[in-house]
Amino acid sequence: MKIAQAGTIESNDALVIVSPSDKLIVEIDSIVFDKFGDAINQVIVDTLKEHQITCKVVVKDKGAYDYTIKARLITALRRAQNE
Amino acid sequence: MSSYLFVPGNNPGMVQSAHVFDAKGVIFDLEDAVSVQDKDSAKDLLKAYLETAAFDNVYIRVNDIYDLGKNEIEEFNNFDISGYVIPKANTKVMSLVEKYTNKSLIPIIETPEAVLTMKEIGEFDNVTGMLLGGEDLATNIDVVRTLDDIELLYARHKLVMVCAYLGIDSIDTPFTDTDNDESLEESVKYSKMIGMSARSSIHPNQIPIINEIYKPTLEEIEFATKVVEAAKINDSGVFSVDGKMVDLPVIIRAKNILKKAKAYEKN
Amino acid sequence: MKRINSYNELFNLLNVEDDLTVSFHHHLRNGDYVLNKTMLELDKLNIKNLTLAASGIFNAHEPIVPLIEKGTISSIYTNYLNGPVAKVVSEGKLKDKLIMQTHGGRPRSIEEGELVIDIAFIAVSAVDKSGNGNGTDGSTVLGALGYSISDVEKAKQVVLITDTVVDELSYVEIDGKYVDYVLVLDEIGDQFLIQSGTTSITRNPVSLKIARDTVSVIEETGYLKNGLSFQTGAGGTSLAVAKYLKKKMIKNNIKGSFASGGITGYLVDMLEEGLFDELYDVQCFDLDAVRSLKKNKNHHLMSASEYANPLTSPIVDKLDIMILGATEIDVNFNVNVTTASDGYIIGGSGGHSDTAAGSKLAIVVTNLVKARTPIIVDEVLTKTTPGKDIDILVTEYGIAINPLRGDLLNKLEDSELKIKTIEELRSIASNLVGKEKRLKKSNDVIGYVEYRDGNIIDKIYKV
């Protein structure tokens, strides 16, 4: 695994950056952190579990819905492993 | 409704509000509106979206079938979508696509070859409509697009005839000048006049204009209602309504207008 | 009336001391130098516990933040509060109380003697030799001065502040008989920033869809008719409603009676094209409005009191259609335009609750969700405008009619528009955004929302 990213910092989107790590690390920077910080964290943790991957995830969120964050993470993970 | 809206597949803001504009069909685009390096993320975004949202008349425009298109079709077959919009269609492409999916297909007529073999393309089993790709077609015959689409005259009229013959939707090309509502109106009136069953669009702001023009007018509905009522009483074949001679084709048209009008009530 | 050239001289003449109430208008918007300069000069005199009664407070007023923190300013009355001042007030730095009034409630309270102003500092673009003033002659153009009129008429002492003295004004809006002093400064504001609050009409597809559906609902409820009167807020979607209304009025050959409120070039065009007979202007949002005000006899000045004071018979009571925005709207149609969902103050009623109460058809237009934040909520954080005064909510996902307006529901029974209950819209929003953690209000009250009649209808809590 290497560093990879997906998404953008446009409105309703999220930029997700993944990098190798032995421990699960999730860093969230969100314009709706107070209200949805927990929800965003949950999506990240669940998606990583589904893919059985442990790594570091940095999220810059501009009000993306859960499915968008999930999609961006999936893309970033695939890019980290493929390319 | 008689409008199809193209929505860039990698833009979450546009994907999430795609269905609020009352387009008849939404076409999520993996092809021209998505950059090469984001083909994968557009696919992931649409999959994640489709897992949470269920709407009628959702299509995906895949990439070239000889390139990414094949895999895209196979990956989206498990999702609840109506079908695929197929770029650079010809009979060979369609015979391949037919093997990959049972979902409904809308081939894009955007090459001279496709214009000439339109009927054969439309005859493939799951084809429910054909869409004219005016930009690419113009490029392929080496002309510039004009506001009144004179250069597409033959292709447009042929598409109407072939689709009417096959009983499938004829979907006119997008109008790409998104800041020119007046010319859009003229162009859509022309589409309706020559018999196109729908107009496609690349901008949500165009959808209400298209829907409004395609919606039967009050005058049309009133006349059609009179014709249908009068036909119930007169079974003699030819009679007149408001001074106009009415025979069977007029009655059929009147019934069609009332059917369309009904489709516009409550959506 | 005496003309002077410096604050020192002015303050020697005025009796300035602790605990005074000083007032300002907000016609200079984000280009305002007058409020800042005056307050900083007062601060130099080591005065304490001033009450600041300003009709609006903006980003431009950041320089007075330290005065709040150290108690020079201890109370604020205003109709609209945002920017750095809003931030420190939200965080509880104001010593005494914040009263959020409305554009109609403010002149009512001044004229009733509830809010007593000791000194009104009134920026004008020009004065003449007799101390008359207006907002359009001179080099710094403000437009109509509607929000200052009650202050001028009722304050114990009135100071006009200007950068231009002329022999003769093209018209008089502020009568010199009320004026005690004229202070002439080098400059009173930044012309560019005075105008820059204006919004051009949006191209955002969701906003435009909402605007179009709003005009459809106006038509289907029978309010699109000859003689209609109309007002809109300055938000992007609200302005777009004017655009589609204009199209529809032309198409259906409808001629309106008047448009009112803050005036933009867009409404001026409609006046000039004969779509309205008259404009009633409490403030000009752009220079087109100023130009029209000076030359068109059907473009009238109005004071905030004539506009919205519930004890007179204000223009808002004659309004048919009012288009409003919302930061939040709850399932009982209560609207919040005072605080953001994080609890910080970001605005205030302005004319929101006045026009909602007065107009026959008050329509709130808003996206259902903005950047994952649902606009429809179970209960608004702060009640700016009571739900009973809101008739219709238009969102991109559907239109909700206040159940109190059964007449409207009847008219829309066979509509092609997506009519839904507000609870249905609320649940669509909840499904879209997912599980949301609502802000828990603190227990510290830092301010009050005063309805136009003077009743307190809600409290604002410290962040």
Side-chain angles (χ1 to χ4, degrees):
Chain A
M1 182 182 193
K2 54 173 190 176
I3 296 185
Q5 67 176 55
T8 71
I9 49 165
E10 279 170 42
S11 190
N12 304 302
D13 204 349
L15 179 68
V16 175
I17 305 161
V18 298
S19 55
S21 165
D22 299 336
K23 276 195 327 219
L24 171 68
I25 303 170
V26 181
E27 286 174 12
I28 299 167
D29 171 16
S30 169
I31 56 167
V32 287
F33 188 84
D34 291 344
K35 275 173 292 181
F36 294 105
D38 292 348
I40 295 168
N41 187 64
Q42 196 61 46
V43 174
I44 306 269
V45 170
D46 290 349
T47 308
L48 289 176
K49 212 180 259 170
E50 267 174 48
H51 288 72
Q52 300 181 345
I53 293 173
T54 302
C55 66
K56 179 177 174 186
V57 180
V58 176
V59 183
K60 292 190 195 324
D61 169 57
K62 297 286 180 185
Y65 289 148
D66 278 348
Y67 65 80
T68 300
I69 293 164
K70 181 178 173 181
R72 294 324 193 192
L73 178 57
I74 289 172
T75 308
L77 288 173
R78 190 183 321 101
R79 287 174 178 179
Q81 280 159 332
N82 284 354
E83 289 154 34
Chain B
M1 303 276 166
S2 304
S3 48
Y4 286 83
L5 176 62
F6 280 98
V7 176
N10 196 38
N11 185 320
M14 289 171 134
V15 168
Q16 72 199 31
S17 57
H19 53 274
V20 305
F21 299 107
D22 303 321
K24 174 184 178 184
V26 169
I27 303 168
F28 289 117
D29 192 7
L30 294 175
E31 199 209 13
D32 288 352
V34 178
S35 65
V36 176
Q37 67 271 18
D38 276 328
K39 298 288 185 192
D40 59 340
S41 65
K43 218 165 55 177
D44 290 330
L45 178 65
L46 289 181
K47 284 184 193 168
Y49 170 74
L50 291 168
E51 276 169 9
T52 65
F55 295 99
D56 293 339
N57 298 323
V58 170
Y59 295 84
I60 290 177
R61 173 160 76 170
V62 293
N63 284 286
D64 191 328
I65 220 69
Y66 298 112
D67 186 14
L68 301 170
K70 175 179 185 280
N71 281 335
E72 287 164 352
I73 289 180
E74 286 170 350
E75 287 180 57
F76 280 95
N77 273 339
N78 293 329
F79 287 84
D80 183 17
I81 57 169
S82 298
Y84 301 99
V85 174
I86 308 297
K88 301 184 181 67
N90 60 27
T91 49
K92 251 173 84 184
V93 165
M94 294 310 290
S95 60
L96 281 174
V97 169
E98 211 179 30
K99 290 185 195 139
Y100 307 147
T101 184
N102 296 319
K103 291 189 191 291
S104 140
L105 301 173
I106 301 177
I108 307 184
I109 305 301
E110 54 188 340
T111 62
E113 184 199 355
V115 173
L116 294 175
T117 56
M118 215 182 259
K119 180 166 157 288
E120 289 72 25
I121 294 171
E123 278 170 342
F124 279 88
D125 269 355
N126 295 328
V127 174
T128 53
M130 289 197 279
L131 193 154
L132 185 66
E135 281 305 311
D136 282 270
L137 185 57
T139 305
N140 287 328
I141 59 174
D142 200 19
V143 295
V144 177
R145 286 286 299 277
T146 61
L147 280 179
D148 52 9
D149 285 325
I150 285 290
E151 67 286 354
L152 299 179
L153 195 69
Y154 173 67
R156 281 173 108 183
H157 285 261
K158 184 172 180 189
L159 188 79
V160 170
M161 285 308 152
V162 171
C163 291
Y165 171 69
L166 296 172
I168 59 179
D169 277 349
S170 49
I171 307 164
D172 209 350
T173 184
F175 185 85
T176 47
D177 187 351
T178 52
D179 281 331
N180 188 347
D181 289 352
E182 280 74 30
S183 298
L184 170 71
E185 280 178 33
E186 290 311 307
S187 183
V188 176
K189 278 178 189 163
Y190 186 83
S191 307
K192 182 184 179 185
M193 184 177 74
I194 66 170
M196 286 280 184
S197 44
R199 188 82 200 228
S200 59
S201 168
I202 50 163
H203 200 291
N205 289 351
Q206 296 182 335
I207 297 297
I209 295 173
I210 297 172
N211 287 346
E212 186 63 30
I213 289 170
Y214 265 91
K215 182 177 166 177
T217 64
L218 275 179
E219 292 75 31
E220 284 174 326
I221 295 170
E222 268 172 34
F223 183 71
T225 312
K226 279 186 197 168
V227 168
V228 172
E229 289 304 313
K232 285 181 190 158
I233 308 161
N234 298 283
D235 39 21
S236 59
V238 180
F239 54 93
S240 102
V241 170
D242 292 352
K244 286 182 192 108
M245 200 197 70
V246 174
D247 56 6
L248 192 59
V250 179
I251 297 169
I252 292 171
R253 267 206 314 274
K255 283 181 176 165
N256 283 341
I257 284 173
L258 293 184
K259 215 159 76 185
K260 270 187 205 162
K262 222 175 176 119
Y264 271 85
E265 287 172 16
K266 300 265 172 198
N267 40 75
Chain C
M1 193 279 302
K2 189 169 164 51
R3 203 159 86 212
I4 38 213
N5 293 304
S6 78
Y7 276 103
N8 282 341
E9 205 182 328
L10 176 69
F11 292 152
N12 283 334
L13 292 163
L14 289 167
N15 206 358
V16 284
E17 56 194 15
D18 289 358
D19 306 308
L20 288 179
T21 295
V22 294
S23 89
F24 299 86
H25 64 63
H26 67 281
H27 291 281
L28 289 148
R29 290 183 287 272
N30 253 322
D32 186 5
Y33 298 161
V34 168
L35 188 151
N36 295 339
K37 272 188 194 167
T38 308
M39 294 312 293
L40 292 174
E41 291 290 338
L42 282 169
D43 181 51
K44 285 183 191 161
L45 306 177
N46 272 325
I47 291 177
K48 289 257 162 305
N49 293 336
L50 294 175
T51 294
L52 172 62
S55 55
I57 296 172
F58 295 84
N59 265 319
H61 300 123
E62 179 162 17
I64 68 166
V65 165
L67 278 55
I68 291 168
E69 287 169 334
K70 71 184 200 194
T72 312
I73 299 167
S74 60
S75 289
I76 293 178
Y77 282 74
T78 190
N79 313 341
Y80 187 91
L81 174 60
N82 76 10
V85 177
K87 184 167 180 286
V88 293
V89 172
S90 301
E91 288 166 355
K93 306 274 168 60
L94 186 70
K95 202 179 104 202
D96 294 330
K97 62 181 177 180
L98 167 73
I99 304 288
M100 297 295 299
Q101 297 187 303
T102 75
H103 281 339
R106 183 174 195 274
R108 180 204 54 75
S109 71
I110 294 170
E111 288 168 24
E112 292 281 280
E114 270 170 39
L115 173 57
V116 178
I117 296 166
D118 295 300
I119 312 168
F121 295 97
I122 307 297
V124 294
S125 65
V127 293
D128 67 12
K129 304 271 192 289
S130 331
N132 300 305
N134 72 27
T136 58
D137 293 333
S139 53
T140 312
V141 177
L142 322 186
L145 299 174
Y147 297 120
S148 71
I149 305 301
S150 303
D151 304 43
V152 170
E153 290 175 1
K154 295 290 176 185
K156 291 178 188 160
Q157 290 183 292
V158 174
V159 181
L160 297 193
I161 301 181
T162 187
D163 55 12
T164 305
V165 182
V166 296
D167 289 334
E168 202 178 338
L169 294 166
S170 55
Y171 63 92
V172 171
E173 184 169 9
I174 298 205
D175 191 331
K177 77 179 180 198
Y178 297 112
V179 177
D180 301 292
Y181 304 101
V182 172
L183 173 63
V184 183
L185 300 177
D186 292 341
E187 47 183 10
I188 57 168
D190 179 329
Q191 187 68 56
F192 177 74
L193 292 170
I194 293 170
Q195 256 85 244
S196 64
T198 335
T199 335
S200 56
I201 287 180
T202 173
R203 289 278 300 160
N204 179 291
V206 171
S207 299
L208 293 183
K209 178 192 164 48
I210 294 167
R212 251 183 330 256
D213 287 351
T214 302
V215 173
S216 298
V217 93
I218 290 170
E219 185 177 21
E220 291 187 24
T221 49
Y223 285 87
L224 187 81
K225 57 182 182 205
N226 276 319
L228 71 82
S229 52
F230 173 78
Q231 187 176 324
T232 173
T237 308
S238 305
L239 284 176
V241 175
K243 171 183 148 167
Y244 289 111
L245 181 72
K246 176 178 172 180
K247 261 191 169 172
K248 195 68 127 195
M249 286 173 78
I250 292 171
K251 191 176 163 213
N252 295 13
N253 206 10
I254 302 279
K255 209 166 163 286
S257 57
F258 72 87
S260 53
I263 300 298
T264 59
Y266 205 79
L267 291 171
V268 168
D269 288 345
M270 290 177 79
L271 174 73
E272 288 173 355
E273 288 166 40
L275 294 169
F276 290 113
D277 294 332
E278 292 168 296
L279 297 182
Y280 289 95
D281 188 340
V282 69
Q283 73 169 325
C284 303
F285 280 126
D286 54 34
L287 289 175
D288 288 335
V290 172
R291 229 168 281 132
S292 164
L293 176 63
K294 283 180 107 160
K295 70 163 198 240
N296 196 326
K297 65 175 177 21
N298 294 320
H299 185 152
H300 309 287
L301 292 162
M302 74 176 165
S303 69
S305 192
E306 291 163 331
Y307 169 39
N309 178 350
L311 298 184
T312 65
S313 125
I315 284 290
V316 295
D317 286 358
K318 302 179 180 73
L319 255 183
D320 292 326
I321 305 158
M322 180 66 209
I323 309 299
L324 296 159
T327 308
E328 289 180 324
I329 179 167
D330 68 24
V331 289
N332 296 312
F333 288 85
N334 296 309
V335 175
N336 171 17
V337 287
T338 304
T339 51
S341 56
D342 59 8
Y344 278 92
I345 298 165
I346 41 94
S349 172
H352 199 287
S353 57
D354 300 300
T355 52
S359 61
K360 295 185 185 69
L361 192 66
I363 306 178
V364 169
V365 295
T366 177
N367 294 40
L368 189 72
V369 176
K370 282 181 191 164
R372 206 176 178 172
T373 302
I375 306 303
I376 308 180
V377 294
D378 294 330
E379 193 186 351
V380 286
L381 210 54
T382 308
K383 191 199 287 182
T384 313
T385 295
K388 68 173 174 56
D389 293 336
I390 302 296
D391 301 308
I392 299 179
L393 165 67
V394 183
T395 75
E396 74 274 34
Y397 284 84
I399 297 170
I401 311 297
N402 191 327
L404 296 173
R405 292 297 303 266
D407 59 322
L408 299 179
L409 277 166
N410 287 340
K411 282 189 178 136
L412 292 165
E413 217 167 39
D414 296 321
S415 174
E416 289 170 17
L417 295 164
K418 290 194 182 93
I419 308 297
K420 297 193 153 66
T421 65
I422 197 162
E423 288 83 5
E424 284 172 318
L425 290 177
R426 164 72 184 134
S427 88
I428 293 172
S430 304
N431 289 337
L432 286 171
V433 304
K435 204 171 162 215
E436 173 197 9
K437 228 164 56 186
R438 279 289 277 177
L439 178 82
K440 266 188 82 172
K441 287 182 197 171
S442 71
N443 294 321
D444 301 346
V445 176
I446 53 139
Y448 299 89
V449 179
E450 186 183 285
Y451 194 56
R452 55 206 299 251
D453 60 8
N455 283 313
I456 300 298
I457 56 169
D458 209 349
K459 294 169 187 156
I460 303 170
Y461 295 86
K462 184 179 159 186
V463 174

